[in-house]
Amino acid sequence: MKIDILTLFPNMFDTIFQESIIQRAQKLQKVEIHIHNFRDYSKDPHHKVDDTPYGGGAGMVLMCQPIFDCVRSLKTKDSKIILLTPSGSPYHQRTAYNLSKESHLIIICGHYEGFDERIRSLVDLEISIGDYVLTGGEIPAMVLVDSITRLLPGVINEKSHLEDSFNEHYLLDYPTYTKPRVYEEMAVPQVLLSGDHKKISEYRYSESVKRTKSLRPDLLEK
């Protein structure tokens, strides 16, 4: 998979993709990540990328030209173009799975007060990572890349992500334990030590339901 990210702040990505699983995925050539400063595409003598909104109002609005030109320089017939915006569709694990099957993603990070509405004509999908507002789309872009990259074949053990929270069953993950068996008088549930895989599976499912009911009852409706 190839991922191109359009941003005004490329330095924000300097370390995040050079650590842990994302770094390993790149070394294994499972994913190629490129960061593009769309200010470089501005035709303004001062590389201006924003201007005041028509009709008045606070803040500055991202202009069409630099983003249009940057996207067009990267786009191929296989590209899926994503705009990160608070008004986008809520991001879910199912969306991450679907995007992990694409061969090329172009992710546009918004900034300032917003972007010229005509930029929407470029995109295939608008995504929001939550009902709150950030200063820009850089952190959401990191979220997308992390959640998608780990799903690519060969990046992590497939069973690891099949049992994740928010997977197809919509339940939160079950509790897990490791050594020692007892820590500060808190013991590992006996069923996990039994070796009975059927009972362990039943226990884990029951705990997933219990945890979801307690913490995210809205998911049970799904």
Side-chain angles (χ1 to χ4, degrees), residues 51-218:
D51 211 329
T52 54
Y54 281 119
M60 302 290 280
V61 177
L62 290 174
M63 303 162 68
C64 290
Q65 180 270 313
I67 294 177
F68 268 71
D69 285 0
C70 186
V71 168
R72 285 170 175 164
S73 73
L74 300 169
K75 184 179 178 181
T76 70
K77 62 180 179 61
D78 298 319
S79 303
K80 192 170 192 75
I81 303 171
I82 299 168
L83 180 65
L84 297 168
T85 167
S87 62
S89 300
Y91 191 56
H92 296 298
Q93 185 70 2
R94 177 47 47 195
T95 314
Y97 268 107
N98 291 338
L99 292 176
S100 73
K101 311 225 181 294
E102 299 288 341
S103 59
H104 183 208
L105 301 177
I106 298 176
I107 301 174
I108 304 172
C109 301
H111 218 83
Y112 304 128
E113 182 62 23
F115 48 83
D116 190 300
E117 183 69 14
R118 291 165 290 191
I119 291 171
R120 293 186 192 273
S121 67
L122 288 172
V123 309
D124 302 302
L125 181 63
E126 298 181 27
I127 289 177
S128 166
I129 64 164
D131 293 339
Y132 46 86
V133 179
L134 298 171
T135 54
E138 285 74 21
I139 292 174
M142 296 173 195
V143 169
L144 261 67
V145 172
D146 187 290
S147 61
I148 292 166
T149 298
R150 64 189 298 276
L151 298 175
L152 299 175
V155 173
I156 63 172
N157 186 294
E158 185 179 21
K159 187 177 179 183
S160 295
H161 62 73
L162 289 177
E163 294 181 352
D164 283 339
S165 296
F166 312 113
N167 214 323
E168 290 185 0
H169 50 43
Y170 292 106
L171 297 176
L172 298 181
D173 206 359
Y174 51 76
T176 57
Y177 300 85
T178 188
K179 297 173 183 176
R181 292 189 178 189
V182 180
Y183 182 74
E184 293 189 355
E185 300 183 359
M186 294 179 286
V188 174
Q190 191 60 38
V191 64
L192 298 178
L193 310 174
S194 68
D196 187 325
H197 296 294
K198 184 173 185 295
K199 286 184 178 179
I200 291 172
S201 180
E202 290 171 350
Y203 163 80
R204 286 174 167 170
Y205 179 75
S206 173
E207 289 299 307
S208 284
V209 173
K210 188 186 301 182
R211 176 172 286 182
T212 306
K213 186 175 182 180
S214 171
L215 301 176
R216 290 289 307 275
D218 58 298

Side-chain angles (χ1 to χ4, degrees), residues 5 7 9-18 35 109 137-139 141-142:
I5 299 173
T7 175
F9 300 95
N11 292 342
M12 289 182 69
F13 297 91
D14 280 352
T15 59
I16 188 73
F17 297 149
Q18 299 305 318
I35 311 299
C109 301
E138 285 74 21
I139 292 174
M142 296 173 195

Side-chain angles (χ1 to χ4, degrees), residues 19-56:
E19 302 288 344
S20 188
I21 289 171
I22 300 179
Q23 181 193 49
R24 187 173 71 194
Q26 291 177 92
K27 286 183 175 178
L28 292 171
Q29 298 184 336
K30 303 294 183 181
V31 65
E32 232 183 272
I33 303 171
H34 301 279
I35 311 299
H36 307 271
N37 187 339
F38 58 82
R39 189 181 298 279
D40 295 339
Y41 290 80
S42 174
K43 293 178 180 176
D44 181 84
H46 304 289
H47 299 289
K48 187 176 180 180
V49 295
D50 60 350
D51 211 329
T52 54
Y54 281 119

